[in-house]
Amino acid sequence: MIIAGSDSAALLAQDTRFDPRLQLQSSLYFGFGARFLRGLELAGGIGTTRATATSAAVGYSYPGWTGRTAWVRIGYLGPRISPIGFRLTAFGVLAGYDSTFLLSFFPILEFATTAHFPLTGNSYGTIGFPIGWEIRRDLGIRVGNTAVLPGAVYVGISAAVHLSVSPVTRGRTATAPSR
Amino acid sequence: MRAILTGMLIIVVGSLFSGCGALPPDLPRGFAIIYGIAEYGDINDLNYSDNDATDIYNLLTSPDQGFSPDDVIIRLNAEATKTQMDTDFAEIAARIASLPNPALTRFVFYFAGHGYGDGMARYYSFPDVWQDYFNNSQVSIEPQGAGMYTDYFFLHDISILGLASVDAVATELERAAESDDDLAIHLQMILSRQKTAVIDACHSGGFIGNGTAIDTVPPAYDGDGAGISIIDGLTAITIYADNRSGTADIGPETVIITAAGEQDFSYEYADGAEVENGIFTHYLLESPMAADSNYDGYVTVSEAYAFTVRSINALENPSLLGEDKFVPRLGTSGVDFVMFRVP
């Protein structure tokens, strides 16, 4: 199975010293996967992620960055690609801040509920609603004066096309009574 | 209708003139300590380091940038000693701490003068005992940071002559030089949440810590090597996995911009040149007018940095030999501070 997709998300970025800001983030990804009889899907691939800088009007901004990603995923589509499923994805991101030579690494854990729909031939599409946690050391979410979570979180929407190399079985199939 | 148009005209005209006078309260109150040393005793004088400091002072205290002259300390040449720096940091730290909300301020430290990095054997004019100290001082190797060694900038009253032992060299450095660790301690005294340090000196890249990010340009820049390699990626992963932190070098809470890497020289224009500044500071002074890459009316530290890099690579490095080429360095965290407002 060949997978190609994109994500768009709103990232809640917050340094422990500053107020949080929403940072728009989008990504493209490509990979390969396999689907098993019980509806499990395993996949992995590469991608790129782009986060745009927030406004500097308050005296500081959360800078933009571009990341190269590698990802692995486990998902559940149901035995015959049911309309609703879910997936858990782990990313490794090498991110470079805009206009600098700086490079940093951080992992991401993402959970998404997914909706599947048939496309032409051996392909089907997926719409996902991901929630992700960027486990970064340079950011941290706090409530009041209390640090509650290292890193940053995002919510978004994703879309992907899955192209299978074997026929896709959807829904129930009618069986003729045996003699 | 006439009344409505008149009212709209008044509003438009009022908006046009509302930007005049006081700086709009979108940037916090600024404090700064500026040091520029062109006159030294035992080591060679520089041409324009004092000019650099004066020009930075004039820029920060200009109406567009909004630093009050009462909140900025500038020391030039004979005034710029280690003892005075200790006093100045204590004074500014106390002033900031006395405010109702000290964190809601911004602080800038600027230095222009001679710099040096431990482990370097390029100052052949230094007496042998200094070479022995810099080349053989194993204790100064640091486990982290963009700097592999302890790095220094020299204050006005440093003396390199007449020292009999490496211990005496260490004592003299403690008396009359500011190490990266010393500056880290000074900066920790400042309670501003927006701290920026700018160092225009040779080997200044060693002042940058890399607790959360690595510099993909090597410490010695020769015009190549600015891309991301597999080694860079693996190093970034290792830094993350190690979760490095500590007091060595300038921590990520201070954004730091330096004129050159740890193993690079920075340069100034020749005596009698049309531009009477260090090369890096010259382009830094131009950045308020030329570095706003997203046209939002503000120049952040990374925008100013990128402008100096582009300018030096395009206009200065082509005339330098390979190992003499240099490029500014940046250390930052997940937040980019506004450095200048566009005039």
Side-chain angles (χ1 to χ4, degrees):
Chain A
M1 178 171 56
I2 299 171
I3 302 168
S6 68
D7 285 355
S8 292
L11 176 76
L12 185 68
Q14 181 178 19
D15 182 278
T16 53
R17 300 161 292 161
F18 297 90
D19 292 333
R21 291 288 181 271
L22 280 181
Q23 194 170 16
L24 295 180
Q25 185 173 291
S26 58
S27 62
L28 294 173
Y29 58 89
F30 174 81
F32 298 94
R35 198 172 64 251
F36 301 93
L37 288 176
R38 294 194 179 275
L40 287 177
E41 174 193 87
L42 292 177
I46 59 175
T48 182
T49 300
R50 169 80 191 135
T52 54
T54 63
S55 168
V58 292
Y60 60 91
S61 73
Y62 291 93
W65 53 269
T66 302
R68 298 159 176 81
T69 65
W71 55 273
V72 292
R73 168 179 297 165
I74 182 170
Y76 181 74
L77 291 79
R80 299 182 186 278
I81 307 184
S82 58
I84 301 296
F86 59 87
R87 69 179 188 228
L88 182 67
T89 310
F91 298 84
V93 182
L94 282 173
Y97 286 121
D98 290 352
S99 304
T100 72
F101 297 117
L102 298 174
L103 183 71
S104 65
F105 171 82
F106 57 88
I108 300 175
L109 291 178
E110 178 188 280
F111 175 81
T113 54
T114 54
H116 316 118
F117 52 93
L119 298 174
T120 59
N122 292 341
S123 63
Y124 65 94
T126 301
I127 301 292
F129 301 95
I131 299 174
W133 175 29
E134 295 184 358
I135 314 172
R136 296 169 58 173
R137 300 214 189 279
D138 58 351
L139 296 177
I141 297 174
R142 59 178 168 81
V143 176
N145 291 324
T146 303
V148 295
L149 191 69
V153 295
Y154 64 81
V155 294
I157 186 168
S158 69
V161 172
H162 300 242
L163 177 62
S164 293
V165 295
S166 57
V168 174
T169 305
R170 304 185 185 86
R172 295 183 175 181
T173 56
T175 56
S178 59
R179 291 187 176 180
Chain B
M1 174 60 89
R2 180 176 295 178
I4 293 173
L5 290 175
T6 302
M8 291 174 63
L9 180 61
I10 291 173
I11 291 171
V12 169
V13 172
S15 299
L16 289 175
F17 284 94
S18 64
C20 298
L23 193 71
D26 55 350
L27 295 178
R29 179 176 173 183
F31 296 81
I33 295 175
I34 301 171
Y35 271 53
I37 308 171
E39 297 171 5
Y40 285 89
D42 299 338
I43 55 181
N44 62 295
D45 289 348
L46 296 169
N47 292 332
Y48 303 125
S49 301
D50 46 3
N51 286 3
D52 290 341
T54 301
D55 289 343
I56 291 291
Y57 173 86
N58 290 336
L59 174 62
L60 292 181
T61 55
S62 64
D64 289 313
Q65 306 311 324
F67 283 70
S68 167
D70 293 335
D71 293 338
V72 179
I73 294 176
I74 178 170
R75 306 290 182 198
L76 303 178
N77 299 318
E79 301 173 324
T81 64
K82 181 75 175 290
T83 303
Q84 186 64 58
M85 183 172 286
D86 292 339
T87 302
D88 290 340
F89 265 96
E91 178 182 339
I92 292 293
R95 274 198 235 170
I96 292 172
S98 68
L99 297 175
N101 203 334
L104 297 184
T105 57
R106 54 188 172 136
F107 173 79
V108 174
F109 172 76
Y110 174 88
F111 175 85
H114 275 303
Y116 196 81
D118 256 350
M120 298 297 297
R122 298 174 70 174
Y123 266 27
Y124 300 114
S125 60
F126 273 41
D128 290 344
V129 68
W130 283 79
Q131 298 294 334
D132 290 341
Y133 176 85
F134 285 130
N135 293 337
N136 300 319
S137 179
Q138 295 297 311
V139 296
S140 63
I141 294 176
E142 295 175 330
Q144 65 186 66
M148 298 165 55
Y149 304 95
T150 301
D151 298 281
Y152 303 89
F153 55 77
F154 293 156
L155 284 303
H156 167 78
D157 56 338
I158 193 164
S159 175
I160 66 170
L161 300 177
L163 301 178
S165 67
V166 293
D167 288 340
V169 171
T171 301
E172 180 63 10
L173 285 171
E174 190 173 334
R175 187 192 72 81
E178 179 87 346
S179 72
D180 45 16
D181 296 339
D182 292 337
L183 185 59
I185 292 170
H186 277 142
L187 289 168
Q188 286 169 7
M189 298 164 59
I190 305 298
L191 299 182
S192 307
R193 66 178 185 180
Q194 293 182 219
K195 291 184 282 190
T196 304
V198 182
I199 305 174
D200 188 350
C202 297
H203 313 294
S204 47
F207 279 74
I208 301 174
N210 69 347
T212 59
I214 69 163
D215 188 346
T216 58
V217 179
Y221 179 68
D222 59 1
D224 295 323
I228 298 174
S229 68
I230 293 176
I231 300 297
D232 291 331
L234 292 175
T235 303
I237 295 171
T238 302
I239 288 175
Y240 181 88
D242 285 352
N243 192 16
R244 296 180 182 183
S245 63
T247 58
D249 291 346
I250 311 302
E253 70 279 357
T254 299
V255 178
I256 180 167
I257 180 170
T258 66
E262 185 187 36
Q263 297 176 14
D264 284 334
F265 293 124
S266 67
Y267 300 93
E268 56 183 4
Y269 292 101
D271 193 12
E274 184 176 333
V275 177
E276 296 183 345
N277 287 112
I279 292 177
F280 164 72
T281 296
H282 166 61
Y283 290 111
L284 184 67
L285 290 166
E286 289 191 343
S287 62
M289 291 157 292
D292 184 14
S293 56
N294 60 358
Y295 307 104
D296 65 352
Y298 303 93
V299 175
T300 63
V301 175
S302 63
E303 286 178 317
Y305 166 76
F307 175 74
T308 62
V309 169
R310 287 196 305 272
S311 302
I312 290 171
N313 267 333
L315 303 175
E316 309 294 342
N317 278 336
S319 62
L320 297 174
L321 297 176
E323 65 173 12
D324 293 332
K325 297 181 190 295
F326 71 105
V327 69
R329 309 305 174 93
L330 177 71
T332 184
S333 66
V335 179
D336 195 9
F337 303 145
V338 169
M339 194 161 189
F340 305 115
R341 295 183 80 251
V342 177

